Amino acid sequence: MTEDNKSTPGEPSKAKPAPTKTTEPAGASASTPAKPSLGRAMLDAIITGNSAVVTFLAIVLALVVGGVLMILADQDVLDEYKYFFAAPGEALSSSWTLVSDAYTAMFKGSIVNPDSFSEGSIEDIFRPISETITQATPLIFGGLAVSIAFRTGLFNIGAQGQIIAGAVFASWIGFVVDLPPVIHLVFVILAGVIGGGLYAGIAGFLKARYGAHEVIVTIMLNHIAVLMLGWLLTTDTFRRGGQAQPIGKDAHENAVLPNLFGDNLRIHFGIILALLAAGIYWWLLNRSTLGFELRAVGSNPDAARTAGMSVARAQILAMVIAGAMAGLAGVSQVMSSTNPAHTLTPSIDAGIGFDAITVALLGRTKPLGTVLAALLFGALRAGGSVMQASANVSVDIVIVIQAVIVLFVAAPPLVRSIFRLRGARKGAEGGPLAAKETVGVQS
Amino acid sequence: MKLELRGITKRFGSLVANDHIDLTVEPGEIHCLLGENGAGKSTLMNVLYGLYEPSEGEIVVDGTPRKFRTAGDAIDAGIGMVHQHFMLVPVFTVAENVMLGHEETRSLGWLDRRRARKKVLDLVDEYGLKVDPDMLVEDLPVGLQQRVEILKALVRDAKVLILDEPTAVLTPQETEELFRVMRALRASGHSIVFITHKLKEVKAVADRITVIRRGKVVGTADPASSEKELASLMVGRPVKLVVDKDRAQPGEVRLAIEDLTVLDGNGQAVVDRVDLRLREGEILGIAGVDGNGQSELTQAILGLRAPAAGKISLDGQDLAGRSPRQILNSGVGFVPEDRQHDGIVGDFTVAENLVLDMVTQAPFGRRGSINPGAVRDNARQRVEEFDIRTQTIESPAGTLSGGNQQKVVVARELSRPLRLFIASQPTRGVDVGAMEFIHKRIVAERDVGTPVIIVSTELDEVVALADRIAVMYRGRIVDIVPPTTSRGDLGLLMAGVIPSRDPAEPAPAAEPDATGTEPAAPTATNESDATPGEEDPA
């Protein structure tokens, strides 16, 4: 909640009913401080339908839609609906079984598997959550990369390219030199930051200097990065010796992000970096003069210019910082436990660049929000593969669920009208309108 | 059509914007709603227009109570509204804009442009609202765009027309034209609710006046009442309408502008060889119809626009090549003419807006880090000092009323020691109470020795504040005259005409102390500009 940019720096307690925009995103609704009473506060929150509640309801709705799709995609269950009027119980119960099995599997794969308490080792208990965090790590970096640009008024679609650039730089430093422990890793991380930062800086520069639209430029830079990566992996500098396949060289041992809890859990040092990055982002937005300028430029460039700020500088810096964040995602992709050989591959970005946009959107471009949204998506990714394996439901359902969440989050009035929350009629996003109404538009 | 509002109350949370307001609008009258910024006028009209639901009270049309849930309901009942900010599609023609939303179609959904055009032309004839139906709206001046808005209401058969601060964006001539149109509408049986805080206009055009203060009707007044009476009724205390100031005590030349030329995007000179000298402790008013280079001149001084030629120096230092931030930090205060566009960041809190151009400087910022305590303290102080009406200092500035937004900008720019203060339209959209206060602050700034430039299209304001008035026309300074110059002459100058006068005294009081202690050099340039021979014949 502290990341709420509406509060001037230094107002961490934000329980007053000021008509600020969204506070926390997903799941945070329960943590709404209990001023009158927890129940009352929650009820109020649901009735007024603020953004946190809407986000939460969007997730619930998406899971419902996912369930319906599972039923529609399962021929056996569908067949039972042919006899629905003869034996309605059967169709409903097997539908329920199907959906609940799937979501149970997803839960077991992403949060905790209750069975592991009785028969598994201590690692088995923590494995699902470790998987969730591991999947979330690059998404946090990516989400922050999109968020920070967004706050400056730039739509950074280029996380994919920036991740690739960061990964290429990091991988290269990882195998081309052999340095002592810690030092090598520091250089690898710096290389990723520089690679991503420079690559995004191109888009920032073109925007600031020539007014080239950043959406177009970053999309094109994505293509360039993908194809460039493909070409690099054919060169002797990058391609692993004696192989025709486009696989990069292995990184040295010291260049790798260490696992936090041994070899059996994949959770790695990247999550520490990611939380650190989120913290830096929070500081940047709320406590730094640079962040103040970035937000001002993002919100009203004319006023920012009149107040003596350089819009061009802000745009370039925002893109460079965004790229640096995305570059860290690249480091995580190459140098972490998710990539056992620590090599470059043609699909090193693993779609994170685009999920990052949805993560940022779901997290409403706030630091904590982005982290929570990334964890949710990480859980869906981690749980999805278990669901596929044990409940025999296609992992693609996860993608549908993600998409539906975003769809609902992007249309708060729709969610409000489904749940008949107040404010649905007025349309428009809760924040600005609510804020306007409280003071009244007068002049 | 007779319109009655009975006991309208509108609450936003704990804030009561309208408190049991009763209002009756008779057919064929111009009913003026007078009130300060934030008094609740616009809220009331938004209730009437179906944009807000009243918390209590009812709207009665011709004796029947009506409920307006949307603007559509209000339109159906014969109510039309012209908003302060126009709701037009810039790339559509006048006719297209007027018909937007209920287009005339022929079979198969073909747009019947000819009929639309004819309809517009009929209305134009009927009410003398001269406007070409085929022009693109984006090519029209503001006054004509407003007419398009009025046409839009009329074509939907509005019998009651709400005009929300219609004159805020108009030049004096355009205002006159609007009044003419309003009278024509009245003559044809329409009623007009005219929202404003400008006393002169009220007296000029209203049949009846209802004054609102802090959400309540505090009285009705006759247009024959004096401005003073109206002002004190509106503000709730006696108000001084004249700016109280002593004679200027001009000192050294502080700002020198020599031969300044600024080009626009097309290479046209928007500021054309301007020479100006500004002394310590004087207020130079720049008068002129909007768009004659005043904004570009101030932007050039601020470093926001690179001059094509000429020199600007402040205290002897050339400002060329300095960034706006350097210029601001060196002690130049600037109130931009369009506050929403250039003055405040609407999403930012009031506190943040109050340090918008100072955030990198102590005590607010140090080594890249913001000191939130200092920002808050500053905000509390300014809010108190300038009587900025806001719920909290953490409220987004965009939620404040226009006049209070303006106070935020003025408070910010006057909150540090200045070497030069430039204010464009310092009281645009500001009510008399706040205007009095802002004027007092500007004069106080002059009295501590700061050279001040006031750019305003309101002649009243320029005349009241300025020690000298420079009139701009097509990018040039036509003349520099004392504030005692007659309105007629100022009006002529604003149209680029040099009024005929005794050639023996070209501009004697142009520099009040020309005869005094100053070296003779600066006066010469001003006078050369003033001679008719130099005037651009075009």
Side-chain angles (χ1 to χ4, degrees):
Chain A
M1 63 186 351
T2 28
E3 82 274 36
D4 189 335
N5 77 312
K6 291 299 162 296
S7 68
T8 331
E11 187 106 279
S13 63
K14 262 210 88 42
K16 60 174 168 295
T20 42
K21 279 191 203 164
T22 127
T23 21
E24 316 92 305
S29 59
S31 74
T32 316
K35 263 279 165 83
S37 81
L38 188 67
R40 181 72 228 166
M42 277 179 69
L43 196 67
D44 281 349
I46 289 171
I47 289 168
T48 47
N50 71 28
S51 309
V53 176
V54 167
T55 306
F56 175 75
L57 294 178
I59 294 167
V60 173
L61 276 178
L63 292 175
V64 171
V65 171
V68 170
L69 283 178
M70 284 177 206
I71 296 166
L72 289 178
D74 193 304
Q75 199 52 52
D76 294 345
V77 177
L78 271 190
D79 285 345
E80 285 178 21
Y81 275 89
K82 287 179 186 159
Y83 315 109
F84 184 76
F85 293 104
E90 209 162 304
L92 290 179
S93 84
S94 53
S95 303
W96 172 251
T97 315
L98 171 72
V99 174
S100 68
D101 279 0
Y103 283 138
T104 308
M106 193 181 262
F107 181 82
K108 284 177 179 169
S110 59
I111 314 287
V112 70
N113 183 354
D115 304 340
S116 60
F117 286 110
S118 46
E119 47 205 61
S121 64
I122 190 100
E123 273 123 354
D124 289 336
I125 296 172
F126 286 107
R127 177 157 299 117
I129 202 82
S130 153
E131 279 305 299
T132 292
I133 292 172
T134 308
Q135 295 288 348
T137 302
L139 287 172
I140 295 176
F141 289 125
L144 293 175
V146 177
S147 296
I148 190 164
F150 200 80
R151 281 302 182 88
T152 317
L154 299 169
F155 215 154
N156 180 16
I157 314 284
Q160 185 191 23
Q162 293 145 22
I163 289 169
I164 291 173
V168 168
F169 272 54
S171 172
W172 186 66
I173 292 291
F175 65 70
V176 82
V177 286
D178 193 1
L179 298 169
V182 183
I183 295 173
H184 199 163
L185 181 60
V186 169
F187 273 91
V188 164
I189 291 170
L190 282 179
V193 165
I194 291 169
L198 283 180
Y199 203 68
I202 298 173
F205 173 76
L206 291 176
K207 168 86 179 179
R209 186 79 175 72
Y210 301 107
H213 201 288
E214 76 280 0
V215 168
I216 313 274
V217 173
T218 49
I219 289 176
M220 291 305 137
L221 284 172
N222 282 346
H223 291 300
I224 294 172
V226 170
L227 296 170
M228 196 75 145
L229 174 64
W231 171 75
L232 282 175
L233 287 173
T234 65
T235 62
D236 289 340
T237 323
F238 278 89
R239 191 178 53 192
R240 192 186 288 183
Q243 242 175 338
Q245 282 164 317
I247 302 273
K249 290 177 182 164
D250 295 3
H252 289 290
E253 221 170 90
N254 294 338
V256 172
L257 291 167
N259 282 3
L260 289 179
F261 301 107
D263 290 343
N264 290 329
L265 292 178
R266 295 209 295 170
I267 182 169
H268 57 84
F269 186 66
I271 184 65
I272 309 278
L273 284 181
L275 294 177
L276 207 65
I280 291 173
Y281 175 54
W282 177 86
W283 178 84
L284 191 70
L285 274 190
N286 297 303
R287 286 286 189 279
S288 74
T289 56
L290 175 62
F292 188 91
E293 294 192 8
L294 297 187
R295 286 191 289 122
V297 167
S299 187
N300 184 348
D302 295 306
R305 191 180 295 115
T306 308
M309 301 172 190
S310 163
V311 174
R313 173 174 167 268
Q315 288 176 334
I316 293 174
L317 276 177
M319 282 309 284
V320 168
I321 297 170
M325 297 274 185
L328 285 170
V331 173
S332 161
Q333 283 301 95
V334 177
M335 294 302 176
S336 77
S337 52
T338 52
N339 185 344
H342 308 300
T343 59
L344 271 184
T345 60
S347 57
I348 194 75
D349 62 282
I352 287 158
F354 288 100
D355 279 1
I357 299 168
T358 41
V359 164
L361 185 67
L362 186 61
R364 293 180 194 270
T365 70
K366 314 257 165 146
L368 182 61
T370 305
V371 169
L372 291 176
L375 283 171
L376 174 71
F377 274 40
L380 288 173
R381 281 184 170 214
S385 46
V386 173
M387 177 179 77
Q388 168 140 319
S390 65
N392 208 16
V393 171
S394 165
V395 75
D396 291 337
I397 282 288
V398 165
I399 297 168
V400 174
I401 291 173
Q402 287 183 358
V404 175
I405 291 174
V406 173
L407 209 68
F408 283 125
V409 165
L414 176 61
V415 176
R416 287 204 200 95
S417 66
I418 289 174
F419 288 94
R420 306 203 173 274
L421 299 182
R422 205 199 299 157
R425 189 178 86 86
K426 283 288 181 189
E429 218 220 355
L433 189 81
K436 241 185 202 158
E437 281 185 350
T438 343
V439 183
V441 209
Q442 297 148 343
S443 43
Chain B
M1 186 175 108
K2 182 174 171 176
L3 180 73
E4 281 173 273
L5 300 181
R6 289 185 190 154
I8 296 288
T9 300
K10 177 69 190 168
R11 291 188 203 90
F12 298 106
S14 60
L15 187 118
V16 185
N18 290 152
D19 192 357
H20 293 95
I21 288 190
D22 296 311
L23 185 76
T24 310
V25 183
E26 302 284 349
E29 75 165 351
I30 298 180
H31 194 122
C32 190
L33 212 51
L34 186 66
E36 283 190 283
N37 298 308
K41 299 170 300 213
S42 297
T43 308
L44 183 67
M45 288 305 113
N46 284 334
V47 168
L48 175 56
Y49 198 53
L51 297 175
Y52 290 155
E53 256 178 273
S55 318
E56 282 169 39
E58 57 178 1
I59 300 168
V60 182
V61 178
D62 283 335
T64 345
R66 301 286 291 263
K67 245 198 157 68
F68 300 151
R69 295 189 61 85
T70 64
D73 296 344
I75 292 170
D76 291 342
I79 296 171
M81 184 154 176
V82 175
H83 295 268
Q84 211 172 346
H85 302 282
F86 303 147
M87 318 273 178
L88 297 170
V89 184
V91 295
F92 280 13
T93 65
V94 170
E96 284 167 338
N97 264 292
V98 169
M99 302 314 288
L100 194 66
H102 60 156
E103 298 83 359
E104 305 266 356
T105 51
R106 284 181 284 175
S107 54
L108 295 175
W110 278 94
L111 274 181
D112 193 343
R113 285 170 201 271
R114 196 174 306 153
R115 218 162 61 195
R117 218 175 142 258
K118 177 145 188 327
K119 227 172 175 168
V120 173
L121 281 173
D122 289 348
L123 283 169
V124 166
D125 285 347
E126 201 175 337
Y127 302 108
L129 285 156
K130 256 171 260 143
V131 56
D132 178 356
D134 302 320
M135 288 274 282
L136 290 185
V137 160
E138 62 183 354
D139 296 334
L140 294 178
V142 180
L144 290 186
Q145 293 193 8
Q146 191 170 52
R147 260 182 218 182
V148 179
E149 284 282 8
I150 296 175
L151 281 173
K152 266 169 71 178
L154 291 178
V155 84
R156 287 160 177 73
D157 289 327
K159 292 282 171 274
V160 176
L161 211 57
I162 306 168
L163 304 178
D164 189 0
E165 305 255 358
T167 58
V169 290
L170 300 183
T171 61
Q173 291 89 333
E174 286 174 324
T175 304
E176 269 314 309
E177 272 295 291
L178 174 69
F179 288 170
R180 198 184 52 72
V181 169
M182 284 165 68
R183 293 191 190 104
L185 289 169
R186 174 179 60 188
S188 63
H190 290 80
S191 327
I192 293 174
V193 181
F194 175 48
I195 304 177
T196 189
H197 55 248
K198 293 186 185 166
L199 304 169
K200 279 212 169 55
E201 298 175 352
V202 173
K203 284 176 63 70
V205 78
D207 297 319
R208 267 205 302 159
I209 304 169
T210 298
V211 184
I212 295 185
R213 185 167 76 228
R214 292 186 186 246
K216 287 188 185 145
V217 173
V218 290
T220 50
D222 195 71
S225 331
S226 76
E227 283 189 37
K228 222 172 171 124
E229 283 167 341
L230 289 174
S232 44
L233 194 56
M234 172 169 141
V235 183
R237 60 178 166 80
V239 181
K240 281 216 188 75
L241 292 173
V242 216
V243 181
D244 238 348
K245 65 178 174 111
D246 300 329
R247 249 188 94 80
Q249 306 286 334
E252 302 275 299
V253 171
R254 298 287 287 275
L255 176 77
I257 298 172
E258 287 163 37
D259 204 25
L260 183 76
T261 298
V262 179
L263 304 179
D264 67 4
N266 304 322
Q268 295 289 317
V270 279
V271 175
D272 193 1
R273 288 167 286 156
V274 163
D275 280 299
L276 273 180
R277 297 275 183 289
L278 184 59
R279 291 162 196 282
E280 191 172 303
E282 71 164 344
I283 299 176
L284 174 72
I286 297 185
V289 179
D290 224 353
N292 274 287
Q294 303 99 310
S295 343
E296 288 80 5
L297 176 64
T298 54
Q299 286 168 353
I301 299 173
L302 257 289
L304 292 163
R305 249 169 209 272
K311 200 174 134 185
I312 306 171
S313 49
L314 181 61
D315 293 335
Q317 290 163 296
D318 192 355
L319 294 183
R322 300 229 195 150
S323 71
R325 163 150 291 163
Q326 287 167 324
I327 292 173
L328 285 166
N329 286 356
S330 74
V332 176
F334 178 54
V335 176
E337 58 179 300
D338 185 343
R339 59 174 168 262
Q340 287 205 313
H341 205 250
D342 301 319
I344 62 162
V345 178
D347 293 342
F348 275 27
T349 65
V350 170
E352 287 176 313
N353 272 292
L354 282 167
V355 296
L356 197 64
D357 56 0
M358 291 176 279
V359 78
T360 53
Q361 288 185 306
F364 308 118
R366 191 175 305 145
R367 272 178 270 127
S369 204
I370 289 177
N371 177 354
V375 172
R376 266 203 309 277
D377 290 346
N378 172 68
R380 284 201 198 96
Q381 232 175 315
R382 301 292 157 228
V383 165
E384 168 86 37
E385 187 186 345
F386 284 79
D387 187 28
I388 299 167
R389 305 226 179 115
T390 171
Q391 284 198 315
T392 69
I393 56 170
E394 311 291 346
S395 307
T399 62
L400 301 190
S401 70
N404 281 303
Q405 291 179 1
Q406 184 73 4
K407 285 194 215 165
V408 169
V409 179
V410 174
R412 176 178 75 214
E413 298 305 316
L414 285 179
S415 62
R416 55 200 162 126
L418 293 179
R419 290 160 66 195
L420 172 65
F421 181 60
I422 303 174
S424 288
Q425 318 293 354
T427 57
R428 180 178 273 181
V430 170
D431 59 72
V432 274
M435 193 186 288
E436 182 191 20
F437 179 74
I438 291 175
H439 283 169
K440 225 191 295 176
R441 291 299 306 231
I442 292 173
V443 172
E445 196 63 35
R446 177 200 76 167
D447 289 344
V448 300
T450 312
V452 178
I453 296 180
I454 299 294
V455 180
S456 181
T457 48
E458 305 266 349
L459 264 185
D460 287 341
E461 178 159 56
V462 179
V463 169
L465 279 175
D467 301 313
R468 288 190 295 148
I469 300 173
V471 183
M472 275 190 96
Y473 176 71
R474 299 212 178 157
R476 309 216 57 195
I477 303 275
V478 184
D479 201 353
I480 299 184
V481 295
T484 48
T485 312
S486 76
R487 294 295 165 102
D489 284 358
L490 281 172
L492 284 175
L493 285 167
M494 282 166 79
V497 182
I498 307 271
S500 59
R501 68 177 156 221
D502 195 342
E505 35 134 21
E511 293 238 340
D513 59 338
T515 51
T517 54
E518 283 307 304
T523 31
T525 43
N526 291 329
E527 284 166 11
S528 75
D529 245 356
T531 51
E534 284 249 337
E535 233 315 273
D536 196 339

